[in-house]
Amino acid sequence: MFELPPDLPRLRTLETWHATCLKLIQAAITEAEAKQRQAVRETARAAPPAAGWKTEVQRGAPWRVHHGDCTMGKGRPCTREEARLLLAEGVASCSYCRPDTALGVLG
């Protein structure tokens, strides 16, 4: 292990430097996560959706996720990955068919 300087000014400088590095790392993580979500969305759009899930849309935005055979809401078909992503991002889960339980995304 290394030794830290004993005086307060240098300790404060180290604290500031590490806090700055941490903020940069957190910003890079946020950006990488956003890129990963976008890649999943693009892949989901490019691939033909599985019939197992559907997304109910309201006012042009995803509103609720359903099982593909759920009769409680109409929506466009989506892949399992897209359904999981939408649920993880906070889109509501149908309280009747409970796709969040089947997909393992419990909120």
Side-chain angles (χ1 to χ4, degrees), residues 54-66:
K54 61 185 174 182
T55 304
E56 189 175 351
V57 177
Q58 189 175 59
R59 296 184 187 137
W63 180 61
R64 190 174 287 156
V65 178
H66 299 270

Side-chain angles (χ1 to χ4, degrees), residues 58-78:
Q58 189 175 59
R59 296 184 187 137
W63 180 61
R64 190 174 287 156
V65 178
H66 299 270
H67 278 285
D69 58 355
C70 180
T71 59
M72 296 304 286
K74 295 181 181 179
R76 67 169 182 79
C78 66

Side-chain angles (χ1 to χ4, degrees), residues 41-56:
R41 283 189 191 111
E42 288 172 3
T43 301
R45 286 185 194 124
W53 311 100
K54 61 185 174 182
T55 304
E56 189 175 351

Side-chain angles (χ1 to χ4, degrees), residues 10-25:
R10 288 191 290 172
L11 287 170
R12 291 290 186 198
T13 300
L14 285 173
E15 178 185 39
T16 301
W17 182 80
H18 281 283
T20 301
C21 287
L22 181 58
K23 287 178 185 177
L24 291 171
I25 292 167

Side-chain angles (χ1 to χ4, degrees), residues 28-99:
I29 289 170
T30 301
E31 183 179 340
E33 289 172 338
K35 286 180 182 178
Q36 185 178 25
R37 283 192 302 269
Q38 183 62 29
V40 168
R41 283 189 191 111
E42 288 172 3
T43 301
R45 286 185 194 124
W53 311 100
K54 61 185 174 182
T55 304
E56 189 175 351
V57 177
Q58 189 175 59
R59 296 184 187 137
W63 180 61
R64 190 174 287 156
V65 178
H66 299 270
H67 278 285
D69 58 355
C70 180
T71 59
M72 296 304 286
K74 295 181 181 179
R76 67 169 182 79
C78 66
T79 64
R80 177 181 183 87
E81 293 78 21
E82 186 178 9
R84 285 180 54 89
L85 178 66
L86 290 168
L87 290 170
E89 288 179 349
V91 174
S93 173
C94 174
S95 59
Y96 178 73
C97 65
R98 300 300 306 200

